[in-house]
Amino acid sequence: GSWSHWTSKDLIHWSGSFTQSTDFGGDTGSVSPTPSGVYAFWPIMSGAGKGAIGSAKAVNSSLDGWIHRGPTIPMPARINTGYRDPVRAFEYDDKWYVGVGCGSKEEGAQFCLFEAEDSTLANFSDRGSLYTTNTTFGEVDGNIVWQPNHVSANMMECPDLFPLGDKWVLIGSLYKTN
């Protein structure tokens, strides 16, 4: 897949185009404004850099042009069931982070956390998994989890991490790969 973008001044009327592509290769991802610019992150699903999280920097505030930076956050060796769905970058204690849904057959579904060198979000260090679980509440039918039964989860999809009052909230969809 690839992305297009839409803008609105009132959250009711939107303008944009499905035909104008950003050439981001992943189906999911995030866009993050920082003091250094606006950055997009997505999973590279094929070709050069496959398996890593790719990134691009917006050339202007209208987001109608991007400078692609290639693979930016490599998949850690400990991850073997999936690595995708990067969340918006966030600042915590004067440091910038990006989280990625991930998992391993041995440890379960995880939320991988990466610390950026600075607000350009170009260089990252792996800080391990912020959260890990190997249990979900559902029955596996092919690749679909349904029905309330305990089954083993080994991938976290579509995570989101955000502050809410004096707490942080992590949400995600727990998934079992075959």
mmCIF file of all heavy atoms in Angstrom, residues 57-78:
data_model
loop_
_atom_site.group_PDB
_atom_site.id
_atom_site.type_symbol
_atom_site.label_atom_id
_atom_site.label_comp_id
_atom_site.label_asym_id
_atom_site.label_seq_id
_atom_site.Cartn_x
_atom_site.Cartn_y
_atom_site.Cartn_z
ATOM 1 N N LYS A 57 11.115 12.696 5.949
ATOM 2 C CA LYS A 57 10.916 14.014 6.550
ATOM 3 C C LYS A 57 10.121 14.876 5.581
ATOM 4 O O LYS A 57 10.418 14.916 4.380
ATOM 5 C CB LYS A 57 12.247 14.687 6.852
ATOM 6 C CG LYS A 57 12.069 16.056 7.489
ATOM 7 C CD LYS A 57 13.382 16.741 7.806
ATOM 8 C CE LYS A 57 13.085 18.088 8.475
ATOM 9 N NZ LYS A 57 14.304 18.835 8.744
ATOM 10 N N ALA A 58 9.096 15.559 6.097
ATOM 11 C CA ALA A 58 8.300 16.467 5.260
ATOM 12 C C ALA A 58 9.171 17.650 4.832
ATOM 13 O O ALA A 58 9.953 18.175 5.631
ATOM 14 C CB ALA A 58 7.079 16.961 6.027
ATOM 15 N N VAL A 59 9.017 18.081 3.573
ATOM 16 C CA VAL A 59 9.800 19.213 3.081
ATOM 17 C C VAL A 59 9.145 20.549 3.427
ATOM 18 O O VAL A 59 9.789 21.592 3.360
ATOM 19 C CB VAL A 59 10.065 19.130 1.560
ATOM 20 C CG1 VAL A 59 10.905 17.896 1.233
ATOM 21 C CG2 VAL A 59 8.782 19.142 0.760
ATOM 22 N N ASN A 60 7.851 20.514 3.808
ATOM 23 C CA ASN A 60 7.167 21.748 4.183
ATOM 24 C C ASN A 60 5.962 21.426 5.061
ATOM 25 O O ASN A 60 5.607 20.262 5.246
ATOM 26 C CB ASN A 60 6.736 22.542 2.942
ATOM 27 C CG ASN A 60 5.880 21.715 2.009
ATOM 28 O OD1 ASN A 60 5.003 20.964 2.431
ATOM 29 N ND2 ASN A 60 6.131 21.829 0.713
ATOM 30 N N SER A 61 5.321 22.452 5.605
ATOM 31 C CA SER A 61 4.207 22.238 6.530
ATOM 32 C C SER A 61 2.923 21.784 5.849
ATOM 33 O O SER A 61 1.998 21.319 6.517
ATOM 34 C CB SER A 61 3.942 23.506 7.341
ATOM 35 O OG SER A 61 3.558 24.557 6.480
ATOM 36 N N SER A 62 2.848 21.871 4.528
ATOM 37 C CA SER A 62 1.657 21.370 3.833
ATOM 38 C C SER A 62 1.741 19.864 3.578
ATOM 39 O O SER A 62 0.790 19.269 3.094
ATOM 40 C CB SER A 62 1.435 22.133 2.524
ATOM 41 O OG SER A 62 2.504 21.876 1.640
ATOM 42 N N LEU A 63 2.862 19.264 3.904
ATOM 43 C CA LEU A 63 3.088 17.817 3.785
ATOM 44 C C LEU A 63 2.894 17.304 2.359
ATOM 45 O O LEU A 63 2.519 16.156 2.154
ATOM 46 C CB LEU A 63 2.173 17.046 4.747
ATOM 47 C CG LEU A 63 2.214 17.458 6.214
ATOM 48 C CD1 LEU A 63 1.244 16.602 7.034
ATOM 49 C CD2 LEU A 63 3.609 17.373 6.779
ATOM 50 N N ASP A 64 3.185 18.137 1.375
ATOM 51 C CA ASP A 64 3.003 17.698 -0.012
ATOM 52 C C ASP A 64 4.304 17.203 -0.655
ATOM 53 O O ASP A 64 4.330 16.889 -1.831
ATOM 54 C CB ASP A 64 2.361 18.792 -0.864
ATOM 55 C CG ASP A 64 3.169 20.074 -0.897
ATOM 56 O OD1 ASP A 64 4.315 20.099 -0.415
ATOM 57 O OD2 ASP A 64 2.633 21.073 -1.412
ATOM 58 N N GLY A 65 5.357 17.094 0.107
ATOM 59 C CA GLY A 65 6.614 16.530 -0.378
ATOM 60 C C GLY A 65 7.398 15.945 0.780
ATOM 61 O O GLY A 65 7.335 16.451 1.905
ATOM 62 N N TRP A 66 8.105 14.858 0.502
ATOM 63 C CA TRP A 66 8.836 14.151 1.550
ATOM 64 C C TRP A 66 10.221 13.767 1.066
ATOM 65 O O TRP A 66 10.396 13.401 -0.091
ATOM 66 C CB TRP A 66 8.083 12.883 1.955
ATOM 67 C CG TRP A 66 6.739 13.151 2.546
ATOM 68 C CD1 TRP A 66 5.557 13.364 1.875
ATOM 69 C CD2 TRP A 66 6.438 13.277 3.923
ATOM 70 N NE1 TRP A 66 4.550 13.604 2.764
ATOM 71 C CE2 TRP A 66 5.053 13.552 4.036
ATOM 72 C CE3 TRP A 66 7.192 13.171 5.102
ATOM 73 C CZ2 TRP A 66 4.421 13.714 5.262
ATOM 74 C CZ3 TRP A 66 6.557 13.327 6.317
ATOM 75 C CH2 TRP A 66 5.191 13.606 6.391
ATOM 76 N N ILE A 67 11.197 13.812 1.946
ATOM 77 C CA ILE A 67 12.536 13.293 1.679
ATOM 78 C C ILE A 67 12.626 11.939 2.372
ATOM 79 O O ILE A 67 12.587 11.850 3.604
ATOM 80 C CB ILE A 67 13.625 14.246 2.222
ATOM 81 C CG1 ILE A 67 13.535 15.592 1.529
ATOM 82 C CG2 ILE A 67 15.002 13.615 2.036
ATOM 83 C CD1 ILE A 67 14.404 16.667 2.166
ATOM 84 N N HIS A 68 12.717 10.895 1.578
ATOM 85 C CA HIS A 68 12.789 9.542 2.135
ATOM 86 C C HIS A 68 14.181 9.298 2.714
ATOM 87 O O HIS A 68 15.185 9.613 2.087
ATOM 88 C CB HIS A 68 12.462 8.514 1.056
ATOM 89 C CG HIS A 68 11.001 8.490 0.731
ATOM 90 N ND1 HIS A 68 10.190 7.452 1.100
ATOM 91 C CD2 HIS A 68 10.198 9.377 0.114
ATOM 92 C CE1 HIS A 68 8.951 7.701 0.713
ATOM 93 N NE2 HIS A 68 8.939 8.863 0.107
ATOM 94 N N ARG A 69 14.215 8.711 3.908
ATOM 95 C CA ARG A 69 15.484 8.469 4.596
ATOM 96 C C ARG A 69 15.845 6.988 4.630
ATOM 97 O O ARG A 69 16.889 6.623 5.168
ATOM 98 C CB ARG A 69 15.429 9.026 6.014
ATOM 99 C CG ARG A 69 15.090 10.509 6.033
ATOM 100 C CD ARG A 69 15.242 11.153 7.379
ATOM 101 N NE ARG A 69 14.387 10.569 8.403
ATOM 102 C CZ ARG A 69 14.378 10.977 9.668
ATOM 103 N NH1 ARG A 69 15.168 11.952 10.063
ATOM 104 N NH2 ARG A 69 13.564 10.413 10.535
ATOM 105 N N GLY A 70 14.996 6.134 4.072
ATOM 106 C CA GLY A 70 15.287 4.705 4.032
ATOM 107 C C GLY A 70 15.050 4.029 5.370
ATOM 108 O O GLY A 70 14.381 4.573 6.254
ATOM 109 N N PRO A 71 15.619 2.824 5.542
ATOM 110 C CA PRO A 71 15.454 2.093 6.791
ATOM 111 C C PRO A 71 16.044 2.909 7.948
ATOM 112 O O PRO A 71 17.187 3.345 7.877
ATOM 113 C CB PRO A 71 16.239 0.804 6.582
ATOM 114 C CG PRO A 71 16.403 0.683 5.108
ATOM 115 C CD PRO A 71 16.393 2.079 4.562
ATOM 116 N N THR A 72 15.256 3.116 8.995
ATOM 117 C CA THR A 72 15.682 3.977 10.095
ATOM 118 C C THR A 72 15.743 3.233 11.423
ATOM 119 O O THR A 72 16.622 3.497 12.234
ATOM 120 C CB THR A 72 14.714 5.174 10.225
ATOM 121 O OG1 THR A 72 14.638 5.833 8.953
ATOM 122 C CG2 THR A 72 15.185 6.177 11.254
ATOM 123 N N ILE A 73 14.810 2.315 11.653
ATOM 124 C CA ILE A 73 14.798 1.551 12.904
ATOM 125 C C ILE A 73 14.816 0.065 12.542
ATOM 126 O O ILE A 73 13.787 -0.513 12.193
ATOM 127 C CB ILE A 73 13.558 1.874 13.767
ATOM 128 C CG1 ILE A 73 13.398 3.389 13.950
ATOM 129 C CG2 ILE A 73 13.670 1.171 15.119
ATOM 130 C CD1 ILE A 73 12.126 3.787 14.692
ATOM 131 N N PRO A 74 16.007 -0.571 12.586
ATOM 132 C CA PRO A 74 16.096 -1.987 12.219
ATOM 133 C C PRO A 74 15.338 -2.877 13.202
ATOM 134 O O PRO A 74 15.188 -2.545 14.378
ATOM 135 C CB PRO A 74 17.590 -2.297 12.294
ATOM 136 C CG PRO A 74 18.282 -1.007 12.507
ATOM 137 C CD PRO A 74 17.290 -0.004 12.964
ATOM 138 N N MET A 75 14.871 -4.019 12.710
ATOM 139 C CA MET A 75 14.195 -4.981 13.572
ATOM 140 C C MET A 75 15.233 -5.647 14.479
ATOM 141 O O MET A 75 16.240 -6.170 14.003
ATOM 142 C CB MET A 75 13.474 -6.051 12.749
ATOM 143 C CG MET A 75 12.722 -7.037 13.609
ATOM 144 S SD MET A 75 11.606 -8.140 12.706
ATOM 145 C CE MET A 75 12.710 -8.949 11.587
ATOM 146 N N PRO A 76 15.000 -5.638 15.799
ATOM 147 C CA PRO A 76 15.941 -6.302 16.715
ATOM 148 C C PRO A 76 15.990 -7.808 16.481
ATOM 149 O O PRO A 76 14.988 -8.419 16.098
ATOM 150 C CB PRO A 76 15.363 -6.000 18.104
ATOM 151 C CG PRO A 76 14.442 -4.839 17.913
ATOM 152 C CD PRO A 76 13.925 -4.957 16.512
ATOM 153 N N ALA A 77 17.135 -8.416 16.748
ATOM 154 C CA ALA A 77 17.315 -9.857 16.540
ATOM 155 C C ALA A 77 16.377 -10.684 17.413
ATOM 156 O O ALA A 77 16.011 -11.796 17.045
ATOM 157 C CB ALA A 77 18.767 -10.243 16.821
ATOM 158 N N ARG A 78 15.935 -10.155 18.560
ATOM 159 C CA ARG A 78 15.064 -10.908 19.464
ATOM 160 C C ARG A 78 13.641 -11.046 18.934
ATOM 161 O O ARG A 78 12.848 -11.823 19.463
ATOM 162 C CB ARG A 78 15.047 -10.258 20.849
ATOM 163 C CG ARG A 78 14.322 -8.930 20.907
ATOM 164 C CD ARG A 78 14.354 -8.304 22.308
ATOM 165 N NE ARG A 78 13.523 -7.135 22.406
ATOM 166 C CZ ARG A 78 13.809 -5.941 21.908
ATOM 167 N NH1 ARG A 78 14.939 -5.758 21.263
ATOM 168 N NH2 ARG A 78 12.975 -4.934 22.043
#
